[in-house]
């Protein structure tokens, strides 16, 4: 197994990893652990008697000819897939055999998310006419959220980027609270301080989203380290886009989690774009998955539009991350069907044909629906009634949220520190003195009293 | 970045400390290393290496916290960390080279005493160290991160300013990283040049949500560090590295805390208020004596201790009494924290002020190597400023 450490075989490891992860075979698992102990935990032992390299930094053989290692980007790490575009299971041994109830739940959560987004961002046009200042959709990536969330333990801590609302949806975050956050009303757990879609839930172990990209990645490593020390069989999952993976914090998080042996799943949504920047301007290697082995990290690439492939990969990564205290990297290949955000018009940098292909011919929702239809678990009638019902639920939450007051302006000053500092008390009092004097110039009526 | 730090460190800053590592490793292990070796705390060494710009006066022996031991500043840091690891099973210490005891000896013996899962090296990456610490704190652990030199904290600026400082606020108090403390060696050291001398506190003073604390000696260091670790807000604790060995006094061995956001009036006076923090306190203490002897001027000396949120009340109360204020810090003058103090005092004590507030600070240049004696706001520059304040 020592040769596996050679950079020359780096890409060999990738496919090896995939075979093993997809195979999920116990016998191979023992080998994996052996590899880990040999390669990752121990520094090259010093032994001057042997006629082999003694450099402490790597375990490798000498070679007597000049040869640069060539990256394999033409034939990259394969994309693991369980069902085809028509919802048909390709290899029965990979079928996760989920119950009808579970699959219906997947489907309903994915479509409910979709309906919520439609309502908030398009049909209601609420963001555009100023009712909500900003929004980011999840079109095309519903499968990555639901498939991965379903494979986790509800106690597993989630660190996200901002396009993972489906994870919260799967964990049962109420529509009212989604809406409350977007409207920044009195019900918002975040007290109306952050832009829309910056959700968080302590009860559901979903760490509050922040805008700076990739900052959550090393944080997830720290949280996973703490979880390991607590010894309570919890894992941490950390989502990020392929653009965020270019940040220095991604490098930090990958490397820390490997050297400090953290039970952590890195979940990269590679949807082809970072706002307008296509991936060939983002990186020149074989995507994100190919970086994993360079950090000594087990890695896999999955079809992000295949909810079962995402589920299987996450389930196995979670099991092994907790059992072996090591990080796993999952790169889910997908396509960002919607605009980057409501402040973006993606037709300025990509073709409508391209978008239509993914929307009409290879969509995670339609694929799962094919699967359900083939089993007679879902009919046209079911679809119609669920659409109606979900739309009603969303509209009710939407309208309710809109009518609620904004939070009390005092909440601008609390939680900066745990305690209210004398300086902040003074500033709060000064603000009120001013606002009372000039109250006709401030929207006091919209706020809680 | 920190690779450069190590290079210079070994070349110049602490030859003695490296020698001590070897002695320690050969002669003893574990807990024994936590005991204090008198030969590594000698003031004369520091002075021999470079004529110090200050003289350290030990604080009076604190009696209220039980038995005391003679410690220098790095030993008082170790003592605080030792108390923390002993009393809080979630507490972890990490950073570059902390496992073998740290390049300034602050973590010597802790790994042997508490285990390698609690005191461990990280990869060489400051943004990773702080991000990792935030995550551990979010998950409920007490995270004590070390940045090897304050000069190398900037790669973690984003994690500190955008993340650590805003965690509680932006989540509506659902999540916080209040259990995070970041320690970093700070301030000039005689020959540290651009990247082993910086005093970056003012960069952080502009950031609501964090606390920034700087001690002047071993007793304050331990008490304030334990307060930072216990405080439910992310704290940055800057340790004046020139004092690591030079400052020696009796420090309580048990845990005790000194409150944050409270300045300390070290010496009462009636004519001028002097405000500083860290090493500069010792410079001003000498200046106060000179002013008394040579000018017959009575100075009130205040150690600010906490930069953010700072103790406006103690400073303003003093200035209301004396009518004159001199603030001094090593960091460059423009945008330095003295500007904040100065404008606040001007606002609060306008009717009491009898002279313009004086700021004696570093110049607006990078911190130079061979020109350090001319750069720092030494006692003569401060003394001259007092003369001008009095004769205004």
């Amino acid at each position: 197994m020592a040769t596996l450490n050679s950079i020359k075989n780096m890409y060999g490891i990738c496919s090896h990893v995939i075979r093993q992860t997809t195979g999920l075979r116990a016998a191979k698992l023992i080998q994996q652990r052996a590899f880990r102990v040999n390669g990752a935990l121990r520094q090259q032992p010093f032994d001057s008697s042997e006629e082999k390299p003694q450099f402490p930094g790597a375990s490798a053989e000498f070679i007597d000819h000049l040869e640069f290692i060539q990256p394999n980007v033409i034939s990259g790490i394969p994309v693991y897939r369980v069902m085809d575009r028509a919802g048909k299971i390709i290899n029965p041994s990979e079928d996760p055999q989920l119950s009808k109830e579970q699959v219906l739940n997947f489907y309903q959560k994915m479509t409910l998310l979709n309906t919520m987004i439609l309502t908030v961002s398009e049909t209601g046009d609420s963001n555009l006419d100023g009712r909500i200042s900003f929004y980011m959709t999840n079109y095309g990536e519903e499968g990555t959220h639901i498939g991965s969330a379903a494979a986790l333990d509800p106690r597993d801590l989630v660190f996200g980027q901002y396009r993972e609302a489906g994870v919260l949806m799967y964990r049962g975050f109420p529509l009212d609270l989604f809406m409350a956050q977007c409207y920044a009303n009195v019900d918002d757990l975040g007290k109306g301080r952050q832009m829309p879609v910056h959700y968080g839930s302590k009860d559901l172990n979903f760490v509050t989203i922040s805008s700076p990209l990739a900052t959550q990645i090393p944080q997830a490593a720290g949280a996973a380290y703490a979880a390991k020390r607590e010894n309570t069989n919890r894992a941490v999952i950390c989502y990020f886009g392929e653009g965020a993976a270019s940040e220095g914090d991604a490098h930090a998080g990958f490397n820390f989690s490997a050297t400090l042996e953290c039970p952590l799943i890195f979940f990269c949504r590679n949807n082809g774009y970072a706002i307008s920047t296509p991936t060939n301007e983002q990186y020149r290697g074989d995507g994100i998955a190919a970086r994993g082995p360079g950090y000594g990290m087990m890695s896999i690439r999955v079809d992000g539009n295949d909810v079962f492939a995402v589920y299987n990969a996450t389930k196995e990564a979670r099991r092994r991350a907790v059992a072996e205290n090591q990080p796993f990297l999952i790169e889910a290949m997908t396509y960002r069907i919607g605009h980057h955000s409501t402040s973006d018009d993606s037709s300025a940098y990509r073709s409508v044909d391209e978008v239509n292909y993914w929307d009409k011919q290879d969509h995670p929702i339609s694929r799962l629906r094919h699967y359900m239809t083939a089993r007679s678990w879902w009919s046209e009638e079911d679809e119609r009634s669920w659409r109606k019902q979900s739309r009603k639920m969303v509209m009710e939450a939407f309208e309710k949220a809109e009518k609620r007051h904004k939070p009390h302006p005092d909440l601008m000053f609390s939680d900066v520190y745990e305690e209210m500092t004398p300086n902040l008390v003074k500033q709060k009092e000064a603000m009120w003195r001013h606002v009372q004097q000039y109250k006709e110039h401030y929207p006091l009526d919209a706020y809680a009293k | 970045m920190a690779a450069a730090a190590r290079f210079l460190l070994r070349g110049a800053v602490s030859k003695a400390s490296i020698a001590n590592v070897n002695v320690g490793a050969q002669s003893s292990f574990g807990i024994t290393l936590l005991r204090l070796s008198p030969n590594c705390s000698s003031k004369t060494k520091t002075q021999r290496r470079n004529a110090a710009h200050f003289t350290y006066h030990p604080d009076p022996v604190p009696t209220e916290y039980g038995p005391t031991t003679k410690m220098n500043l790095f030993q008082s840091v170790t003592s605080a960390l030792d108390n923390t690891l002993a009393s809080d099973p979630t507490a972890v210490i990490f950073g570059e080279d902390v496992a073998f005891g740290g390049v300034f000896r602050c973590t010597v013996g802790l790994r042997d005493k508490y285990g390698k899962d609690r005191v461990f090296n990280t990869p060489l990456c400051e943004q990773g160290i702080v991000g990792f610490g935030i995550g551990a704190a979010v998950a409920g652990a007490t995270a004590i991160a070390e940045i090897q030199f304050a000069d190398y904290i900037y790669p973690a600026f984003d994690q500190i300013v955008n993340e650590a400082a805003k965690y509680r606020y932006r989540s509506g108090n659902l999540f916080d990283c209040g259990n995070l403390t970041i320690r970093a060696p700070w301030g000039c050291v005689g020959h540290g040049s651009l990247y082993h001398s910086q005093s970056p506190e003012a960069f952080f003073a502009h950031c609501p949500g964090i606390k920034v604390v700087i001690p002047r000696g071993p007793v304050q260091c331990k008490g304030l560090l334990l307060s930072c670790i216990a405080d439910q807000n992310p704290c940055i604790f800057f340790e004046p590295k020139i004092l690591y060995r030079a400052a020696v006094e009796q420090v309580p061995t048990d845990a005790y805390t000194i409150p944050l956001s409270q300045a300390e009036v070290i010496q009462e006076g009636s004519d001028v208020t002097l405000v500083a923090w860290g090493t500069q306190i010792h410079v001003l203490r000498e200046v106060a004596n000179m002013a008394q002897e040579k000018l017959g001027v009575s100075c009130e000396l205040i150690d600010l201790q906490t930069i953010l949120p700072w103790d406006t009340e103690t400073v303003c109360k003093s200035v209301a009494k004396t009518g004159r204020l001199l603030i001094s810090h090593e960091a460059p003058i423009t945008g330095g924290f003295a500007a904040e103090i100065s404008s606040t005092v001007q606002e609060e004590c306008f009717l009491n002020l009898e002279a313009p507030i004086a700021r004696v600070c570093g110049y607006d240049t990078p911190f130079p190597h061979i020109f350090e004696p001319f750069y720092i706001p030494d006692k003569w520059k401060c003394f001259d400023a007092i003369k001008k304040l009095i004769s205004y």
Side-chain angles (χ1 to χ4, degrees):
Chain A
M1 294 301 272
T3 51
L4 279 177
N5 278 348
S6 146
I7 301 169
K8 186 180 175 185
N9 286 333
M10 196 171 107
Y11 294 91
I13 295 173
C14 299
S15 52
H16 185 71
V17 165
I18 284 155
R19 279 200 302 278
Q20 298 211 347
T21 315
T22 55
L24 324 177
R25 300 295 167 260
K28 294 233 173 172
L29 203 88
I30 292 159
Q31 274 184 16
Q32 283 295 339
R33 299 194 74 161
F35 157 67
R36 185 160 172 74
V37 172
N38 286 339
L41 291 184
R42 206 188 299 159
Q43 183 127 350
Q44 158 106 335
F46 178 75
D47 181 2
S48 63
S49 65
E50 275 191 68
E51 189 46 45
K52 57 175 289 220
Q54 293 298 326
F55 308 107
S59 170
E61 300 298 323
F62 285 119
I63 60 167
D64 59 8
H65 55 281
L66 178 68
E67 183 188 340
F68 289 99
I69 307 303
Q70 178 148 340
N72 190 354
V73 291
I74 305 299
S75 171
I77 296 170
V79 182
Y80 170 63
R81 164 180 266 204
V82 171
M83 61 178 162
D84 66 16
R85 279 174 215 160
K88 191 166 163 293
I89 299 290
I90 301 161
N91 175 358
S93 69
E94 296 291 322
D95 186 345
Q97 311 270 2
L98 298 175
S99 69
K100 178 183 172 185
E101 191 189 15
Q102 283 171 301
V103 173
L104 288 187
N105 184 36
F106 279 21
Y107 185 77
Q108 293 186 335
K109 291 283 163 64
M110 283 160 75
T111 45
L112 183 60
L113 176 67
N114 206 291
T115 305
M116 181 179 82
I117 296 159
L118 261 173
T119 308
V120 178
S121 76
E122 284 170 15
T123 315
D125 218 22
S126 46
N127 55 306
L128 300 179
D129 63 17
R131 287 150 85 188
I132 288 177
S133 60
F134 178 79
Y135 204 74
M136 304 182 97
T137 71
N138 298 267
Y139 295 131
E141 302 184 43
E142 299 90 341
T144 60
H145 306 175
I146 302 299
S148 57
L152 299 171
D153 185 293
R155 296 175 309 137
D156 292 342
L157 197 58
V158 178
F159 285 83
Q161 180 165 309
Y162 49 62
R163 218 183 292 283
E164 295 91 8
V167 176
L168 268 174
M169 186 70 87
Y170 186 85
R171 288 193 170 187
F173 198 58
L175 285 171
D176 285 342
L177 290 181
F178 278 113
M179 295 301 166
Q181 200 283 330
C182 290
Y183 269 107
N185 67 25
V186 283
D187 302 324
D188 176 19
L189 302 173
K191 304 180 186 171
R193 291 167 183 154
Q194 287 212 87
M195 285 171 77
V197 309
H198 290 56
Y199 308 115
S201 168
K202 182 84 176 164
D203 294 341
L204 302 177
N205 297 306
F206 189 100
V207 179
T208 301
I209 299 298
S210 72
S211 307
L213 288 180
T215 47
Q216 80 278 15
I217 300 177
Q219 292 172 15
Y225 189 87
K228 175 174 80 167
R229 287 203 66 239
E230 270 179 7
N231 205 16
T232 50
N233 288 326
R234 281 173 78 182
V236 173
I237 190 165
C238 177
Y239 296 89
F240 52 94
E242 89 288 349
S246 295
E247 293 280 2
D249 277 333
H251 164 65
F254 297 162
N255 200 25
F256 275 55
S257 62
T259 59
L260 298 170
E261 295 161 6
C262 304
L264 172 57
I265 303 161
F266 290 114
F267 194 106
C268 177
R269 297 173 293 97
N270 189 334
N271 63 17
Y273 291 91
I275 304 187
S276 74
T277 306
T279 53
N280 70 331
E281 292 169 20
Q282 199 65 248
Y283 53 73
R284 283 299 161 93
D286 174 24
I288 308 305
R291 295 177 195 171
Y295 290 99
M297 183 156 55
M298 303 288 283
S299 308
I300 192 171
R301 175 175 281 158
V302 303
D303 182 342
N305 296 343
D306 177 348
V307 71
F308 295 147
V310 173
Y311 175 83
N312 279 355
T314 313
K315 185 105 185 151
E316 180 62 2
R318 198 231 169 245
R319 186 184 71 75
R320 292 192 54 188
V322 171
E324 301 161 27
N325 286 324
Q326 61 162 322
F328 283 75
L329 172 62
I330 299 172
E331 182 184 28
M333 307 309 290
T334 178
Y335 187 84
R336 195 194 78 213
I337 294 174
H339 301 303
H340 165 73
S341 73
T342 50
S343 311
D344 171 52
D345 174 8
S346 68
S347 66
Y349 50 81
R350 62 182 188 180
S351 77
V352 177
D353 289 349
E354 184 184 312
V355 177
N356 277 340
Y357 166 80
W358 295 99
D359 196 19
K360 309 287 182 238
Q361 294 184 45
D362 193 1
H363 196 286
I365 290 180
S366 56
R367 205 190 291 193
L368 187 62
R369 195 173 153 198
H370 289 314
Y371 173 89
M372 291 156 61
T373 311
R375 273 155 192 72
S376 306
W377 289 355
W378 196 253
S379 65
E380 274 298 324
E381 177 51 33
D382 291 330
E383 179 72 15
R384 263 195 304 277
S385 85
W386 169 243
R387 275 195 186 197
K388 207 172 147 194
Q389 189 194 338
S390 60
R391 189 160 168 72
K392 185 161 170 275
M393 284 156 58
V394 170
M395 283 311 295
E396 276 172 11
F398 187 71
E399 281 162 12
K400 188 174 148 199
E402 194 172 21
K403 291 194 188 95
R404 302 284 282 155
H405 273 102
K406 304 298 177 199
H408 195 284
D410 274 359
L411 292 175
M412 180 163 75
F413 296 95
S414 57
D415 302 330
V416 177
Y417 294 94
E418 189 204 26
E419 68 281 7
M420 181 84 80
T421 61
N423 182 42
L424 283 171
V425 172
K426 258 174 78 177
Q427 292 179 15
K428 185 175 82 174
E429 285 164 359
M431 181 200 80
W432 279 118
R433 275 196 303 277
H434 172 81
V435 169
Q436 291 307 335
Q437 194 180 343
Y438 292 88
K439 47 176 162 300
E440 66 276 23
H441 302 296
Y442 294 90
L444 279 169
D445 291 344
Y447 290 77
K449 287 181 185 64
Chain B
M1 207 161 291
R6 286 179 225 213
F7 176 73
L8 192 133
L9 177 79
R10 296 201 170 162
V13 176
S14 57
K15 275 176 192 141
S17 77
I18 299 298
N20 280 329
V21 179
N22 297 332
V23 170
Q26 283 156 14
S27 64
S28 59
F29 64 94
I31 302 157
T32 333
L33 275 178
L34 286 174
R35 287 192 204 130
L36 314 173
S37 53
N39 68 342
C40 63
S41 55
S42 145
K43 180 168 62 184
T44 52
K45 262 185 196 168
T46 311
Q47 289 173 334
R48 196 168 53 230
R49 205 156 47 219
N50 193 337
H53 67 288
F54 67 95
T55 307
Y56 187 78
H57 291 278
D59 256 39
V61 180
T63 50
E64 62 269 48
Y65 308 118
T68 62
T69 310
K70 198 172 173 189
M71 295 185 203
N72 64 25
L73 193 120
F74 83 64
Q75 289 162 332
S76 79
V77 171
T78 315
S79 176
L81 297 176
D82 188 12
N83 292 147
T84 302
L85 290 169
S87 65
D88 177 355
T90 72
V92 288
I93 296 171
F94 50 90
E96 294 157 11
D97 307 299
V98 300
F100 86 109
V103 297
F104 285 111
R105 322 307 307 129
C106 293
T107 51
V108 167
L110 296 176
R111 183 186 178 90
D112 290 328
K113 190 167 173 183
Y114 295 101
K116 61 184 182 355
D117 67 318
R118 302 190 66 190
V119 182
F120 50 92
N121 290 337
T122 65
L124 207 164
C125 178
E126 286 76 12
Q127 65 202 91
I129 292 170
V130 174
F132 182 90
I134 293 171
V138 167
T142 297
I144 306 166
E146 177 179 307
I147 298 296
Q148 203 160 66
F149 284 82
D151 311 61
Y152 304 123
I153 204 168
Y154 306 115
F157 201 69
D158 183 42
Q159 285 284 357
I160 294 170
V161 174
N162 275 331
E163 294 291 318
K166 298 173 174 53
Y167 232 96
R168 187 189 299 275
Y169 187 78
R170 74 177 183 219
S171 69
N173 205 18
L174 294 180
F175 295 94
D176 69 83
C177 59
N179 288 332
L180 171 68
T181 303
I182 303 166
R183 301 171 36 241
W186 166 98
C188 76
V189 70
H191 47 264
S193 180
L194 284 80
Y195 306 112
H196 302 81
S197 308
Q198 291 183 45
S199 305
E201 62 271 17
F203 285 110
F204 296 102
H206 196 54
C207 176
I210 52 171
K211 296 192 175 179
V212 182
V213 180
I214 308 175
R216 68 169 185 274
V219 171
Q220 281 70 33
C221 183
K222 181 171 173 181
L224 288 168
L225 178 54
L226 284 169
S227 288
C228 283
I229 292 168
D231 194 86
Q232 282 306 299
N233 298 287
C235 296
I236 301 178
F237 189 75
F238 287 127
E239 297 160 6
K241 59 179 152 320
I242 201 167
L243 300 179
Y244 272 141
R245 284 155 191 287
V248 185
E249 62 198 17
Q250 289 291 325
V251 180
T253 42
D254 291 343
Y256 62 97
T257 55
I258 295 174
L260 305 182
S261 293
Q262 275 189 29
E264 184 184 342
V265 179
I266 298 174
Q267 181 181 310
E268 297 204 4
S270 53
D271 300 330
V272 187
T273 300
L274 310 180
V275 174
W277 48 92
T279 322
Q280 198 64 12
I281 281 294
H282 308 297
V283 174
L284 288 189
R285 199 199 300 260
E286 205 174 336
V287 170
N289 292 340
M290 286 159 68
Q292 186 69 60
E293 282 166 23
K294 296 186 198 290
L295 310 171
V297 170
S298 160
C299 295
E300 180 145 307
L301 178 59
I302 298 180
D303 180 0
L304 196 63
Q305 296 189 136
T306 302
I307 306 301
L308 186 74
W310 68 289
D311 182 358
T312 329
E313 200 187 325
T314 300
V315 175
C316 289
K317 216 171 115 187
S318 172
V319 177
K321 176 177 75 176
T322 62
R324 293 180 178 83
L325 173 63
L326 179 149
I327 312 154
S328 181
H329 57 63
E330 285 176 16
I333 188 163
T334 302
F337 196 66
E340 177 61 34
I341 299 173
S342 168
S343 68
T344 302
V345 169
Q346 185 268 143
E347 217 172 279
E348 301 286 326
C349 310
F350 188 71
L351 295 176
N352 306 96
L353 282 171
E354 290 168 31
I357 297 167
R359 291 183 289 158
V360 184
C361 306
Y363 300 114
D364 289 337
T365 69
F367 200 105
H369 184 217
I370 204 63
F371 309 120
E372 178 165 328
F374 302 101
Y375 176 86
I376 53 172
D378 65 8
K379 60 184 176 189
W380 298 109
K381 290 177 187 169
C382 293
F383 176 73
D384 186 55
I386 289 179
K387 255 166 70 176
K388 287 173 180 153
L389 264 182
I390 291 300
S391 57
Y392 183 82

